[in-house]
Amino acid sequence: YNDHVAQHSSTTCRREVVHHQFKRYPSEKCKNKRMRSFLNFGELEFLVGFDVETLKLLRVLDLGRLRFPLKINGDLIHLRYLGIDGYSFSDRAAIISKLRFLQTLEAYSEYPIEETIDLRKLTSLRHVIGQFVGELLIGDAANLQTLRFISSDSWNKLKPELLINLRDLEIYQDYEKRRVSVSWASLTKLRSLRVLKLDNLRLESEEAVRSTDVISPSLESVTLVGMTFEEDPMPVLQKMPRLEDLILEGCFYPGGKMSVSEQGFGRLRKLQIV
C-alpha cells in the first residue's frame, strides 16, 4: 500500500501486504471479511481497530512487529500460519493454544518467550520456530517437522518418541537458568532427523557422544556451537553416512589435533571450523 493505492483499493482484496506506516492504511480494510492473508513488515508500530475475529477465512497472518490488542475465541479454523514478534500482543500463550488447526508458528524475536506455551491441542503443527525459554507443551506431534530455538530445559521435558517426523531441530542453553545436560538418548529416538544444531550445551558424558552413530543414518547437517569435547569428535562424526554439512563454531578441544580417516565423511561437502 501507498497513498495512491490505499485510496482506491477494493474491500474484496484477499491478500494484503502493508508497510508499517499504518496512517495510510484505510480503516475499512481492517474489516475485510474476505481476506485470506495479511502480511505486515517494517518498523515497530501500533494499530487500533484491526479486528482479527471478523476475518473468518484468514489462512495466513504475519503481524511482524505490529502490536495491538488481539482477541481470538477459536473461530479462526482456517488459519494455517501465524507469524508474530515476541511482543506482538498480550496473552499470546492463551491465544496460540486456541488455534487448533495451525500448521506453522513462527515467533521471530530477539526477546525469548518466557511463558508456558501449550501446543497439545494443535495436532496439525508442522513447524514451530521461536526462542522458547518457558516450558513448551507438545502432545501428539506426529506431524511436527521443524522445532527450533528450544531451550535444553524445555527439550528434556518433551517426549521425543512422539516426534516421529521431526527433521530440523535446534537446542540451545538458556544462560539465565541453571546449566542442564542434554540426553543423547533422547536424540537417538529421532529417526527422521536431518538437521541438528546444538548451541552451548553440556552433554551427559563423553561415552554418550559416541551414540551419535545411532541417529546418524538420517542426519545431513550438524552444527555444534560452543561445545567442549574431552575427546576428538571426528571419529564419531565421520561415521554419519549422509552427513553433508559440518560446522564447529567456537568449540574447544584440549587435545589440539583432530584426525579423520581416508574412509570418513563419504558425502561431506562443507566443513567449517571457526
Side-chain angles (χ1 to χ4, degrees), residues 160-211:
E161 60 271 14
L162 300 178
L163 307 176
I164 58 176
N165 289 311
L166 190 64
R167 301 179 181 181
D168 190 338
L169 172 64
E170 179 172 346
I171 309 175
Y172 75 99
Q173 172 63 43
D174 180 17
Y175 292 104
E176 296 183 358
K177 296 185 178 181
R178 63 184 179 88
R179 198 170 181 82
V180 179
S181 299
V182 170
S183 170
W184 275 105
S186 65
L187 299 177
T188 62
K189 301 174 183 179
L190 305 174
R191 308 303 297 176
S192 301
L193 193 63
R194 297 181 182 178
V195 180
L196 174 64
K197 181 176 181 180
L198 304 178
D199 192 342
N200 288 284
L201 299 185
R202 184 178 66 184
L203 305 178
E204 284 187 334
S205 66
E206 199 66 25
E207 292 183 357
V209 179
R210 300 191 185 97
S211 68

Side-chain angles (χ1 to χ4, degrees), residues 117-120 136-141 144 147 158 162-163:
I117 303 296
D118 190 350
L119 304 176
R120 288 175 293 184
L136 194 63
L137 303 178
I138 298 179
D140 183 7
L144 192 63
L147 180 56
L158 298 183
L162 300 178
L163 307 176

Side-chain angles (χ1 to χ4, degrees), residues 9 21 51 64 96 107 136 148 176 200 207 213 221 233:
S9 59
Q21 295 173 321
D51 191 357
I96 291 173
L136 194 63
R148 295 182 190 166
E176 296 183 358
N200 288 284
E207 292 183 357
D213 58 350
S221 176

Side-chain angles (χ1 to χ4, degrees), residues 242-265:
R242 295 187 179 181
L243 189 63
E244 298 182 1
D245 297 337
L246 175 60
I247 301 175
L248 303 179
E249 181 180 340
C251 295
F252 177 69
Y253 171 53
K257 183 179 180 180
M258 297 181 180
S259 60
V260 179
S261 66
E262 293 183 0
Q263 294 77 26
F265 295 116

